[in-house]
Amino acid sequence: MTMTKAGLPPMKVPVLYEDNHILVVVKPVNMPSQQDESNDPDLLSVLKEDLKVRYQKPGNVYLGLVHRLDRPVGGVMVFAKTSKAASRLAEAVRTRKLDKTYLAVVHGTPKPTAGRLVHYLLKDSSTNTVSSVPKAKAGAKEAILDYKVIGPSELLSLVEIHLLTGRSHQIRVQMSTEGHPLYGDQRYGHGRNRPGQQIALWSSSLSFEHPVKREWMTFSCSPPTVYPWTEWREELELK
């Protein structure tokens, strides 16, 4: 799918699946999931414009944002094309029945090499940063993820992460708290990453029950063929 917005050059957004109820795409890195203060082209607006053009729909096009990815993060996202689908997918997110799996490259090798991390996170909206705080801290929200190292090396490791909660900046903060910040994370990898490095975090898989057909569906995609992902070509089957 090639789309344009406000006279900008075409941008390609791979479509993994589409029917009358949902749209599953691969979000490009460094693109906002929805409009923000930068006013840069965002995925939700671009997809809505594409639907309007392709189906020749007059007026506004409905497309529901079910979940978000941080701007620098790419990978699989699902959108709802009807309000019914949006409501049911939102309930799946709320009840943790939308399974999200990520790939990340972290500094060092977590020990043990597989396990569960539980932290309590607090967001500072004024700085758009999140920190790990004691459970008793007012406003703290529980954050849970399971991780497994699938490609250890001397300095960096490839980690598969399964999110059990969906907190802001969750993976980035939890891994940094454990002493293993993500490669390229300028915000939570102080002193470990160089300016200009792209964060190595990728939404690799989404699984959920179709909101209307009630079939269990799984969609996946590989990260881009750039460093540091290319250090694990075999594990990721990169070409």
PDB file of all heavy atoms in Angstrom, residues 172-194:
ATOM      1  N   ARG A 172      10.842  -0.709  27.445  1.00  0.00           N
ATOM      2  CA  ARG A 172      12.047   0.114  27.526  1.00  0.00           C
ATOM      3  C   ARG A 172      12.441   0.367  28.976  1.00  0.00           C
ATOM      4  O   ARG A 172      13.623   0.256  29.350  1.00  0.00           O
ATOM      5  CB  ARG A 172      11.811   1.427  26.791  1.00  0.00           C
ATOM      6  CG  ARG A 172      11.499   1.232  25.315  1.00  0.00           C
ATOM      7  CD  ARG A 172      10.872   2.465  24.678  1.00  0.00           C
ATOM      8  NE  ARG A 172      11.793   3.597  24.661  1.00  0.00           N
ATOM      9  CZ  ARG A 172      11.459   4.797  24.191  1.00  0.00           C
ATOM     10  NH1 ARG A 172      10.237   5.010  23.723  1.00  0.00           N
ATOM     11  NH2 ARG A 172      12.352   5.775  24.194  1.00  0.00           N
ATOM     12  N   VAL A 173      11.445   0.673  29.810  1.00  0.00           N
ATOM     13  CA  VAL A 173      11.743   0.989  31.206  1.00  0.00           C
ATOM     14  C   VAL A 173      12.079  -0.262  31.997  1.00  0.00           C
ATOM     15  O   VAL A 173      13.036  -0.270  32.804  1.00  0.00           O
ATOM     16  CB  VAL A 173      10.554   1.730  31.853  1.00  0.00           C
ATOM     17  CG1 VAL A 173      10.824   1.989  33.332  1.00  0.00           C
ATOM     18  CG2 VAL A 173      10.300   3.050  31.134  1.00  0.00           C
ATOM     19  N   GLN A 174      11.339  -1.341  31.799  1.00  0.00           N
ATOM     20  CA  GLN A 174      11.592  -2.552  32.568  1.00  0.00           C
ATOM     21  C   GLN A 174      12.964  -3.146  32.261  1.00  0.00           C
ATOM     22  O   GLN A 174      13.694  -3.556  33.176  1.00  0.00           O
ATOM     23  CB  GLN A 174      10.495  -3.590  32.321  1.00  0.00           C
ATOM     24  CG  GLN A 174       9.172  -3.234  32.985  1.00  0.00           C
ATOM     25  CD  GLN A 174       8.233  -4.420  33.071  1.00  0.00           C
ATOM     26  OE1 GLN A 174       7.427  -4.632  32.182  1.00  0.00           O
ATOM     27  NE2 GLN A 174       8.339  -5.196  34.145  1.00  0.00           N
ATOM     28  N   MET A 175      13.330  -3.200  30.992  1.00  0.00           N
ATOM     29  CA  MET A 175      14.640  -3.745  30.654  1.00  0.00           C
ATOM     30  C   MET A 175      15.759  -2.838  31.153  1.00  0.00           C
ATOM     31  O   MET A 175      16.795  -3.310  31.637  1.00  0.00           O
ATOM     32  CB  MET A 175      14.755  -3.967  29.147  1.00  0.00           C
ATOM     33  CG  MET A 175      13.772  -4.980  28.570  1.00  0.00           C
ATOM     34  SD  MET A 175      13.749  -6.590  29.422  1.00  0.00           S
ATOM     35  CE  MET A 175      15.407  -7.178  29.091  1.00  0.00           C
ATOM     36  N   SER A 176      15.569  -1.528  31.073  1.00  0.00           N
ATOM     37  CA  SER A 176      16.571  -0.599  31.579  1.00  0.00           C
ATOM     38  C   SER A 176      16.714  -0.724  33.093  1.00  0.00           C
ATOM     39  O   SER A 176      17.835  -0.676  33.628  1.00  0.00           O
ATOM     40  CB  SER A 176      16.196   0.834  31.195  1.00  0.00           C
ATOM     41  OG  SER A 176      17.139   1.758  31.688  1.00  0.00           O
ATOM     42  N   THR A 177      15.596  -0.892  33.779  1.00  0.00           N
ATOM     43  CA  THR A 177      15.626  -1.055  35.238  1.00  0.00           C
ATOM     44  C   THR A 177      16.436  -2.274  35.643  1.00  0.00           C
ATOM     45  O   THR A 177      17.114  -2.278  36.679  1.00  0.00           O
ATOM     46  CB  THR A 177      14.187  -1.165  35.784  1.00  0.00           C
ATOM     47  OG1 THR A 177      13.471   0.034  35.466  1.00  0.00           O
ATOM     48  CG2 THR A 177      14.182  -1.358  37.289  1.00  0.00           C
ATOM     49  N   GLU A 178      16.395  -3.313  34.806  1.00  0.00           N
ATOM     50  CA  GLU A 178      17.143  -4.538  35.078  1.00  0.00           C
ATOM     51  C   GLU A 178      18.602  -4.443  34.651  1.00  0.00           C
ATOM     52  O   GLU A 178      19.347  -5.424  34.770  1.00  0.00           O
ATOM     53  CB  GLU A 178      16.469  -5.718  34.362  1.00  0.00           C
ATOM     54  CG  GLU A 178      15.098  -6.067  34.894  1.00  0.00           C
ATOM     55  CD  GLU A 178      15.149  -6.528  36.340  1.00  0.00           C
ATOM     56  OE1 GLU A 178      15.923  -7.455  36.647  1.00  0.00           O
ATOM     57  OE2 GLU A 178      14.410  -5.940  37.165  1.00  0.00           O
ATOM     58  N   GLY A 179      19.007  -3.288  34.144  1.00  0.00           N
ATOM     59  CA  GLY A 179      20.401  -3.101  33.741  1.00  0.00           C
ATOM     60  C   GLY A 179      20.690  -3.489  32.311  1.00  0.00           C
ATOM     61  O   GLY A 179      21.860  -3.612  31.916  1.00  0.00           O
ATOM     62  N   HIS A 180      19.624  -3.664  31.501  1.00  0.00           N
ATOM     63  CA  HIS A 180      19.799  -4.071  30.111  1.00  0.00           C
ATOM     64  C   HIS A 180      18.982  -3.173  29.192  1.00  0.00           C
ATOM     65  O   HIS A 180      17.997  -3.613  28.590  1.00  0.00           O
ATOM     66  CB  HIS A 180      19.391  -5.539  29.932  1.00  0.00           C
ATOM     67  CG  HIS A 180      20.177  -6.486  30.770  1.00  0.00           C
ATOM     68  ND1 HIS A 180      21.480  -6.819  30.492  1.00  0.00           N
ATOM     69  CD2 HIS A 180      19.847  -7.136  31.929  1.00  0.00           C
ATOM     70  CE1 HIS A 180      21.925  -7.652  31.419  1.00  0.00           C
ATOM     71  NE2 HIS A 180      20.959  -7.859  32.299  1.00  0.00           N
ATOM     72  N   PRO A 181      19.361  -1.888  29.071  1.00  0.00           N
ATOM     73  CA  PRO A 181      18.602  -0.978  28.208  1.00  0.00           C
ATOM     74  C   PRO A 181      18.636  -1.422  26.758  1.00  0.00           C
ATOM     75  O   PRO A 181      19.553  -2.128  26.326  1.00  0.00           O
ATOM     76  CB  PRO A 181      19.329   0.355  28.399  1.00  0.00           C
ATOM     77  CG  PRO A 181      20.714  -0.008  28.821  1.00  0.00           C
ATOM     78  CD  PRO A 181      20.549  -1.244  29.664  1.00  0.00           C
ATOM     79  N   LEU A 182      17.631  -1.012  26.025  1.00  0.00           N
ATOM     80  CA  LEU A 182      17.547  -1.378  24.616  1.00  0.00           C
ATOM     81  C   LEU A 182      18.598  -0.638  23.802  1.00  0.00           C
ATOM     82  O   LEU A 182      18.896   0.529  24.065  1.00  0.00           O
ATOM     83  CB  LEU A 182      16.161  -1.054  24.068  1.00  0.00           C
ATOM     84  CG  LEU A 182      15.091  -2.141  24.214  1.00  0.00           C
ATOM     85  CD1 LEU A 182      14.846  -2.492  25.662  1.00  0.00           C
ATOM     86  CD2 LEU A 182      13.815  -1.733  23.509  1.00  0.00           C
ATOM     87  N   TYR A 183      19.137  -1.330  22.819  1.00  0.00           N
ATOM     88  CA  TYR A 183      20.060  -0.701  21.881  1.00  0.00           C
ATOM     89  C   TYR A 183      19.355   0.489  21.226  1.00  0.00           C
ATOM     90  O   TYR A 183      18.219   0.375  20.745  1.00  0.00           O
ATOM     91  CB  TYR A 183      20.496  -1.709  20.813  1.00  0.00           C
ATOM     92  CG  TYR A 183      21.334  -1.088  19.709  1.00  0.00           C
ATOM     93  CD1 TYR A 183      22.710  -1.042  19.801  1.00  0.00           C
ATOM     94  CD2 TYR A 183      20.725  -0.542  18.573  1.00  0.00           C
ATOM     95  CE1 TYR A 183      23.485  -0.459  18.801  1.00  0.00           C
ATOM     96  CE2 TYR A 183      21.482   0.045  17.570  1.00  0.00           C
ATOM     97  CZ  TYR A 183      22.861   0.077  17.697  1.00  0.00           C
ATOM     98  OH  TYR A 183      23.614   0.662  16.708  1.00  0.00           O
ATOM     99  N   GLY A 184      20.033   1.622  21.201  1.00  0.00           N
ATOM    100  CA  GLY A 184      19.518   2.797  20.522  1.00  0.00           C
ATOM    101  C   GLY A 184      18.500   3.611  21.293  1.00  0.00           C
ATOM    102  O   GLY A 184      18.042   4.641  20.804  1.00  0.00           O
ATOM    103  N   ASP A 185      18.143   3.187  22.506  1.00  0.00           N
ATOM    104  CA  ASP A 185      17.144   3.922  23.283  1.00  0.00           C
ATOM    105  C   ASP A 185      17.803   5.126  23.947  1.00  0.00           C
ATOM    106  O   ASP A 185      18.523   4.990  24.936  1.00  0.00           O
ATOM    107  CB  ASP A 185      16.508   3.006  24.329  1.00  0.00           C
ATOM    108  CG  ASP A 185      15.283   3.620  24.982  1.00  0.00           C
ATOM    109  OD1 ASP A 185      15.077   4.846  24.838  1.00  0.00           O
ATOM    110  OD2 ASP A 185      14.523   2.883  25.633  1.00  0.00           O
ATOM    111  N   GLN A 186      17.553   6.308  23.392  1.00  0.00           N
ATOM    112  CA  GLN A 186      18.201   7.519  23.908  1.00  0.00           C
ATOM    113  C   GLN A 186      17.617   7.955  25.249  1.00  0.00           C
ATOM    114  O   GLN A 186      18.307   8.571  26.062  1.00  0.00           O
ATOM    115  CB  GLN A 186      18.041   8.663  22.891  1.00  0.00           C
ATOM    116  CG  GLN A 186      18.443   8.303  21.470  1.00  0.00           C
ATOM    117  CD  GLN A 186      19.894   7.888  21.344  1.00  0.00           C
ATOM    118  OE1 GLN A 186      20.752   8.427  22.021  1.00  0.00           O
ATOM    119  NE2 GLN A 186      20.175   6.919  20.485  1.00  0.00           N
ATOM    120  N   ARG A 187      16.356   7.610  25.486  1.00  0.00           N
ATOM    121  CA  ARG A 187      15.673   8.098  26.689  1.00  0.00           C
ATOM    122  C   ARG A 187      15.987   7.265  27.918  1.00  0.00           C
ATOM    123  O   ARG A 187      16.200   7.795  29.014  1.00  0.00           O
ATOM    124  CB  ARG A 187      14.163   8.118  26.444  1.00  0.00           C
ATOM    125  CG  ARG A 187      13.359   8.687  27.602  1.00  0.00           C
ATOM    126  CD  ARG A 187      11.960   9.024  27.163  1.00  0.00           C
ATOM    127  NE  ARG A 187      11.949  10.059  26.133  1.00  0.00           N
ATOM    128  CZ  ARG A 187      10.841  10.579  25.612  1.00  0.00           C
ATOM    129  NH1 ARG A 187       9.664  10.163  26.019  1.00  0.00           N
ATOM    130  NH2 ARG A 187      10.910  11.508  24.691  1.00  0.00           N
ATOM    131  N   TYR A 188      16.045   5.946  27.763  1.00  0.00           N
ATOM    132  CA  TYR A 188      16.244   5.078  28.922  1.00  0.00           C
ATOM    133  C   TYR A 188      17.554   4.292  28.862  1.00  0.00           C
ATOM    134  O   TYR A 188      17.743   3.352  29.635  1.00  0.00           O
ATOM    135  CB  TYR A 188      15.059   4.106  29.052  1.00  0.00           C
ATOM    136  CG  TYR A 188      13.729   4.814  29.183  1.00  0.00           C
ATOM    137  CD1 TYR A 188      12.827   4.834  28.120  1.00  0.00           C
ATOM    138  CD2 TYR A 188      13.388   5.489  30.352  1.00  0.00           C
ATOM    139  CE1 TYR A 188      11.607   5.493  28.221  1.00  0.00           C
ATOM    140  CE2 TYR A 188      12.177   6.154  30.469  1.00  0.00           C
ATOM    141  CZ  TYR A 188      11.290   6.152  29.405  1.00  0.00           C
ATOM    142  OH  TYR A 188      10.086   6.813  29.514  1.00  0.00           O
ATOM    143  N   GLY A 189      18.430   4.691  27.952  1.00  0.00           N
ATOM    144  CA  GLY A 189      19.732   4.033  27.849  1.00  0.00           C
ATOM    145  C   GLY A 189      20.860   5.019  28.038  1.00  0.00           C
ATOM    146  O   GLY A 189      21.828   5.043  27.263  1.00  0.00           O
ATOM    147  N   HIS A 190      20.756   5.829  29.058  1.00  0.00           N
ATOM    148  CA  HIS A 190      21.737   6.884  29.315  1.00  0.00           C
ATOM    149  C   HIS A 190      23.159   6.325  29.364  1.00  0.00           C
ATOM    150  O   HIS A 190      23.452   5.397  30.109  1.00  0.00           O
ATOM    151  CB  HIS A 190      21.428   7.584  30.639  1.00  0.00           C
ATOM    152  CG  HIS A 190      20.012   8.073  30.736  1.00  0.00           C
ATOM    153  ND1 HIS A 190      19.492   9.020  29.895  1.00  0.00           N
ATOM    154  CD2 HIS A 190      19.005   7.729  31.582  1.00  0.00           C
ATOM    155  CE1 HIS A 190      18.235   9.247  30.210  1.00  0.00           C
ATOM    156  NE2 HIS A 190      17.912   8.475  31.231  1.00  0.00           N
ATOM    157  N   GLY A 191      24.040   6.896  28.553  1.00  0.00           N
ATOM    158  CA  GLY A 191      25.439   6.513  28.575  1.00  0.00           C
ATOM    159  C   GLY A 191      25.754   5.215  27.861  1.00  0.00           C
ATOM    160  O   GLY A 191      26.920   4.842  27.757  1.00  0.00           O
ATOM    161  N   ARG A 192      24.741   4.523  27.359  1.00  0.00           N
ATOM    162  CA  ARG A 192      24.967   3.243  26.684  1.00  0.00           C
ATOM    163  C   ARG A 192      24.761   3.343  25.177  1.00  0.00           C
ATOM    164  O   ARG A 192      25.228   2.482  24.430  1.00  0.00           O
ATOM    165  CB  ARG A 192      24.015   2.167  27.250  1.00  0.00           C
ATOM    166  CG  ARG A 192      24.093   1.972  28.756  1.00  0.00           C
ATOM    167  CD  ARG A 192      25.391   1.338  29.191  1.00  0.00           C
ATOM    168  NE  ARG A 192      25.505  -0.038  28.773  1.00  0.00           N
ATOM    169  CZ  ARG A 192      25.009  -1.078  29.457  1.00  0.00           C
ATOM    170  NH1 ARG A 192      24.329  -0.869  30.591  1.00  0.00           N
ATOM    171  NH2 ARG A 192      25.178  -2.321  29.036  1.00  0.00           N
ATOM    172  N   ASN A 193      24.042   4.363  24.743  1.00  0.00           N
ATOM    173  CA  ASN A 193      23.733   4.509  23.325  1.00  0.00           C
ATOM    174  C   ASN A 193      24.228   5.841  22.793  1.00  0.00           C
ATOM    175  O   ASN A 193      24.319   6.819  23.526  1.00  0.00           O
ATOM    176  CB  ASN A 193      22.217   4.396  23.102  1.00  0.00           C
ATOM    177  CG  ASN A 193      21.686   3.019  23.473  1.00  0.00           C
ATOM    178  OD1 ASN A 193      22.184   2.006  22.990  1.00  0.00           O
ATOM    179  ND2 ASN A 193      20.680   2.973  24.347  1.00  0.00           N
ATOM    180  N   ARG A 194      24.537   5.856  21.510  1.00  0.00           N
ATOM    181  CA  ARG A 194      25.011   7.077  20.864  1.00  0.00           C
ATOM    182  C   ARG A 194      23.864   7.795  20.168  1.00  0.00           C
ATOM    183  O   ARG A 194      22.941   7.147  19.647  1.00  0.00           O
ATOM    184  CB  ARG A 194      26.105   6.742  19.843  1.00  0.00           C
ATOM    185  CG  ARG A 194      27.357   6.127  20.439  1.00  0.00           C
ATOM    186  CD  ARG A 194      28.489   6.111  19.422  1.00  0.00           C
ATOM    187  NE  ARG A 194      28.115   5.430  18.184  1.00  0.00           N
ATOM    188  CZ  ARG A 194      28.214   4.123  18.003  1.00  0.00           C
ATOM    189  NH1 ARG A 194      28.674   3.355  18.987  1.00  0.00           N
ATOM    190  NH2 ARG A 194      27.864   3.581  16.850  1.00  0.00           N
TER     191      ARG A 194
END
